[in-house]
C-alpha cells in the first residue's frame, strides 16, 4: 500500500511538472503511457497470433461465423455497459478532486451494479431471441449465436472493470486481464486443441473464450473493491448523484454509436451474404483497427488531464495537450500506412491465401482508422468538457449516415462498399467534431493544430463551456 501511495504521489508530481513546459508534457505521456503501450503491443501480437492460428485451423465459413459472433458480442456488450465505463472515468476523479469520497464510492457502486444487471438482462434477452429464431427456423445453426450471447457478459464486465481500474490510477494493470492473460491463454488453449486433434468450431472457441475471460475478471473485481476502500475510506457510499443518470445515458449513446464503426460492417455484411462470407472482411477490419492501438494509452491519460485543465479555466493547456497527443500519433500512422500499401497482401496472406485478396478492402479501412487517429482526442475533448450531448448528436448523425451508406453500397460493391462507407463516416465525424471544438471551445484537437506555431490566445472558457 505504501509503495502504491508513493507511486501515485510521483505520478501527481510528474503531472504538475508536465504542465510547466511542452517537453515535460511529452515526457509525461511517454513515461506513463509507455507501459500501457507495451501492454497494447503485446496484445496485438497475441491477438494476431490467435487469429492466424484459428484461420488456418477452420474453414472460411466457420471463421466467418466466429467473426460475426465476436462483432455481435462486442455490440451487445456496449449495450449492456450503459455508458458506465466513461461515467466512472469522469465521476471518480471529479468527486475525489472535490474531496467527496462518499460520492466517489457511490458512483462506482452504482455504475458497477448497473453494468452487472444490464449485462445479465442483455444476455437473457439474447438467449431468448436465439431460441425463438431456432424455433422459427429449425435448420438454423444456433450454436455460435448462443456462444455470442454468453460472451456478451464478460465483454461488458471487462470494459467496465478496465475503466474503473484506470480511474483508480492503474493504467497498465487495467488492461492485463483482457489484453494479456485472456488472449495469451486463448492462444495456449488453441494450440492445445490443434495439437490434440480436437474438432474446432466457432461455438467451441467462443465458449472457451468466455469461460477463461470470467476467470481473469474475478481477481480484478476483488482488486477494484480493495482499492476503492483504500482510496475512499468512508463508511457509507453516497448514492445521491443528480447528474449521474442523464450523463450516463448520453455516454451510453456515445458508446453504442461509437461501436457501430467497429462492428456494423461485419454485421451488415453478414445480413446480406450470411456470416460465413464475412471472414475475409473481418480479418481486414481487425488488422486495420490496429492503427488505434498506439492511440489508446494516450487517450486514457488524456481524459482526466483535459477535464482538469478545462474546468480549471486553462484553455491553452487543453490546446497544448492536444498538440502533444497529435505529435505522438503521426509517426505510427505514417509507418502503418506504408505497411498497408507495400505489404498489406503479405500481412493478410498469413491468415491464408484467400484472405490476401482483401488487400484493397484493408487499405480503405486503414484510411478510415488513420483519419480517426489524426483527428486527435476530439471525442475526449468534447466529452470531458461537458459537451457529450452535442458529441452524441454528431456521432449519431455520422454513424447513421455511415450505416445507410453501407446498406446502399454493399449490394453494388460488396465488401468494398462496407469499407468505403466506414471510411467516409470517419471523415465526416472528424471534420464535424473539429469544427464544433474550434467554434465553441477555441481548441483544435486534430493534427492540423500542429500547423500553428502556438495556440491562439483567447479568453479562458467558463467551466460550463459558456464563452460569454
Amino acid at each position: 500500500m505504501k509503495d502504491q501511495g508513493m507511486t501515485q504521489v510521483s505520478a501527481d508530481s510528474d503531472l504538475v511538472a508536465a504542465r510547466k513546459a511542452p517537453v515535460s508534457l511529452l515526457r509525461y505521456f511517454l513515461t506513463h503511457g509507455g507501459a500501457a503501450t507495451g501492454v497494447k503491443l503485446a496484445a496485438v501480437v497475441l491477438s494476431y497470433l490467435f487469429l492466424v492460428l484459428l484461420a488456418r485451423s477452420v474453414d472460411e465459413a466457420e471463421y466467418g461465423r466466429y467473426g460475426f459472433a465476436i462483432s455481435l458480442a462486442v455490440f451487445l456488450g456496449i449495450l449492456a455497459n450503459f455508458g458506465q465505463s466513461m461515467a466512472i472515468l469522469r465521476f471518480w476523479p471529479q468527486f475525489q478532486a472535490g474531496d467527496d469520497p462518499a460520492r466517489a464510492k457511490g458512483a462506482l457502486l452504482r455504475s458497477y451494479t448497473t453494468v452487472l444487471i444490464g449485462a445479465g438482462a442483455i444476455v437473457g434477452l439474447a438467449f431468448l431471441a436465439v431460441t425463438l429464431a431456432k424455433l422459427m427456423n429449425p435448420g438454423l445453426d444456433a450454436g455460435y449465436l448462443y456462444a455470442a450471447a454468453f460472451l456478451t457478459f464478460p465483454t461488458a464486465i471487462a470494459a467496465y472493470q478496465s475503466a474503473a481500474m484506470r480511474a483508480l490510477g492503474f493504467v497498465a494493470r487495467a488492461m492485463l486481464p483482457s489484453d494479456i492473460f485472456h488472449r495469451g491463454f486463448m492462444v495456449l488453449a488453441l494450440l492445445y486443441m490443434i495439437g490434440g486433434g480436437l474438432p474446432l468450431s466457432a461455438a467451441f472457441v467462443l465458449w472457451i473464450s468466455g469461460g477463461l475471460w470470467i476467470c481473469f475478471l474475478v481477481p480484478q473485481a476483488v482488486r477494484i473493491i480493495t482499492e476503492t476502500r483504500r482510496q475512499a475510506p468512508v463508511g457509507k457510499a453516497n448514492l445521491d448523484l443528480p447528474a449521474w443518470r442523464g450523463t450516463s445515458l448520453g455516454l451510453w449513446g456515445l458508446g453504442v454509436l461509437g461501436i457501430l464503426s467497429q462492428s456494423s460492417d461485419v454485421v451488415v455484411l453478414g445480413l446480406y451474404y450470411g456470416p460465413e462470407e464475412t471472414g475475409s472482411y473481418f480479418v481486414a477490419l481487425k488488422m486495420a483497427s490496429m492503427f488505434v492501438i498506439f492511440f489508446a494509452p494516450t487517450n486514457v491519460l488524456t481524459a482526466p488531464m483535459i477535464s482538469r485543465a478545462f474546468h480549471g479555466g486553462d484553455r491553452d493547456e487543453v490546446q497544448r495537450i492536444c498538440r502533444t497527443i497529435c505529435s505522438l500519433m503521426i509517426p505510427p500512422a505514417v509507418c502503418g500506412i506504408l505497411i498497408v500499401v507495400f505489404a498489406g497482401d503479405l500481412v493478410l496472406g498469413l491468415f491464408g491465401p484467400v484472405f490476401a485478396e482483401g488487400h484493397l478492402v484493408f487499405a480503405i479501412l486503414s484510411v478510415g482508422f488513420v483519419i480517426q487517429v489524426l483527428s486527435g482526442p476530439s471525442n475526449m475533448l468534447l466529452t470531458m468538457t461537458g459537451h457529450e450531448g452535442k458529441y452524441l448528436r454528431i456521432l449519431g448523425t455520422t454513424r447513421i449516415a455511415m450505416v445507410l451508406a453501407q446498406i446502399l453500397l454493399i449490394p453494388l460493391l460488396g465488401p468494398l462498399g462496407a469499407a468505403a462507407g466506414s471510411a467516409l463516416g470517419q471523415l465526416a465525424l472528424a471534420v464535424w467534431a473539429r469544427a464544433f471544438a474550434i467554434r465553441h471551445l477555441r481548441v483544435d484537437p486534430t493534427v492540423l493544430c500542429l500547423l500553428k506555431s502556438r495556440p491562439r490566445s483567447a479568453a479562458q472558457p467558463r467551466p460550463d463551456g459558456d464563452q460569454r
Side-chain angles (χ1 to χ4, degrees), residues 60 70 111 144 155 212 225 238 252 322 348 355 365 384 455:
E60 187 179 3
I70 286 292
S111 58
Y144 72 98
T155 299
L212 281 174
I225 295 172
N238 186 348
W252 179 60
C322 294
L348 297 176
F355 295 100
L365 287 170
M384 292 297 113

Side-chain angles (χ1 to χ4, degrees), residues 195-447:
L198 297 177
L200 290 178
S201 67
F204 188 48
V205 173
L206 289 165
W207 281 107
I208 291 177
S209 176
L212 281 174
W213 213 346
I214 290 175
C215 290
F216 295 121
L217 290 175
V218 170
Q220 188 183 50
V222 174
R223 179 60 184 271
I224 290 172
I225 295 172
T226 302
E227 191 61 29
T228 299
R229 291 173 177 172
R230 189 186 72 83
Q231 295 190 22
V234 292
K236 186 177 180 180
N238 186 348
L239 299 177
D240 181 21
L241 308 170
W244 178 82
R245 182 178 291 104
T247 301
S248 294
L249 288 175
L251 295 175
W252 179 60
L254 288 175
V256 171
L257 293 171
I259 203 65
L260 284 176
S261 62
Q262 302 176 32
S263 301
S264 67
D265 308 38
V266 178
V267 173
V268 174
L269 271 176
L271 294 176
Y272 267 105
Y273 298 107
E276 297 82 1
E277 304 299 324
T278 63
S280 295
Y281 189 90
F282 176 72
V283 167
L285 180 63
K286 292 294 288 186
M287 293 301 99
S289 66
M290 290 185 180
F291 276 97
V292 301
I293 291 298
F294 292 95
F295 192 60
T298 52
N299 215 17
V300 169
L301 294 172
T302 300
M305 293 178 69
I306 288 178
S307 179
R308 187 182 298 110
F310 178 83
H311 293 288
D314 193 348
R315 185 203 62 83
D316 287 340
E317 174 70 5
V318 176
Q319 181 65 81
R320 193 156 61 83
I321 292 170
C322 294
R323 288 169 62 89
T324 304
I325 292 295
C326 290
S327 66
L328 290 172
M329 292 302 103
I330 291 179
V334 172
C335 292
I337 281 294
L338 292 176
I339 292 174
V340 171
V341 173
F342 294 104
D345 54 340
L346 298 178
V347 173
L348 297 176
L350 292 175
F351 292 85
V354 67
F355 295 100
E357 300 174 1
H359 187 192
L360 183 56
V361 171
F362 182 32
I364 295 174
L365 287 170
S366 298
V367 169
F369 280 103
V370 168
I371 292 172
Q372 178 183 342
V373 169
L374 297 184
S375 66
S378 300
N379 61 331
M380 286 298 174
L381 176 63
L382 270 61
T383 302
M384 292 297 113
T385 56
H387 293 87
E388 66 274 1
K390 179 61 179 180
Y391 188 63
L392 176 61
R393 290 191 290 273
I394 294 174
L395 187 62
T397 303
T398 54
R399 287 303 178 248
I400 292 173
M402 181 193 76
V403 173
L404 291 176
Q406 290 174 331
I407 292 174
L408 293 174
L409 292 174
I410 286 175
L412 299 175
L413 303 174
L416 285 176
S422 177
L424 290 172
Q426 293 287 9
L427 179 61
L429 173 63
V431 171
W432 194 351
R434 177 179 183 268
F436 180 86
I438 291 176
R439 181 180 303 119
H440 295 275
L441 301 176
R442 302 181 192 177
V443 173
D444 185 352
T446 71
V447 70

Side-chain angles (χ1 to χ4, degrees), residues 175-209:
M175 299 182 288
L176 288 177
S178 296
D179 287 351
I180 302 299
F181 299 147
H182 174 246
R183 296 187 188 194
F185 272 83
M186 279 303 299
V187 170
L188 294 177
L190 188 57
L191 288 173
Y192 176 79
M193 289 185 284
I194 294 172
L198 297 177
L200 290 178
S201 67
F204 188 48
V205 173
L206 289 165
W207 281 107
I208 291 177
S209 176

Side-chain angles (χ1 to χ4, degrees), residues 125-197:
L125 290 173
F127 267 88
L128 178 61
V130 175
T131 301
L132 292 175
K134 182 68 174 176
L135 290 175
M136 291 186 292
N137 182 12
L140 176 68
D141 180 4
Y144 72 98
L145 294 176
Y146 279 121
F150 167 71
L151 199 61
T152 298
F153 187 82
T155 299
I157 301 303
Y160 176 77
Q161 290 191 175
S162 178
M165 285 290 288
R166 296 199 303 268
L168 291 167
F170 301 97
V171 178
R173 297 183 197 180
M175 299 182 288
L176 288 177
S178 296
D179 287 351
I180 302 299
F181 299 147
H182 174 246
R183 296 187 188 194
F185 272 83
M186 279 303 299
V187 170
L188 294 177
L190 188 57
L191 288 173
Y192 176 79
M193 289 185 284
I194 294 172

Side-chain angles (χ1 to χ4, degrees), residues 16-27:
V16 172
R19 300 171 73 178
K20 295 180 179 179
V23 175
S24 298
L25 185 59
L26 180 61
R27 184 171 64 246

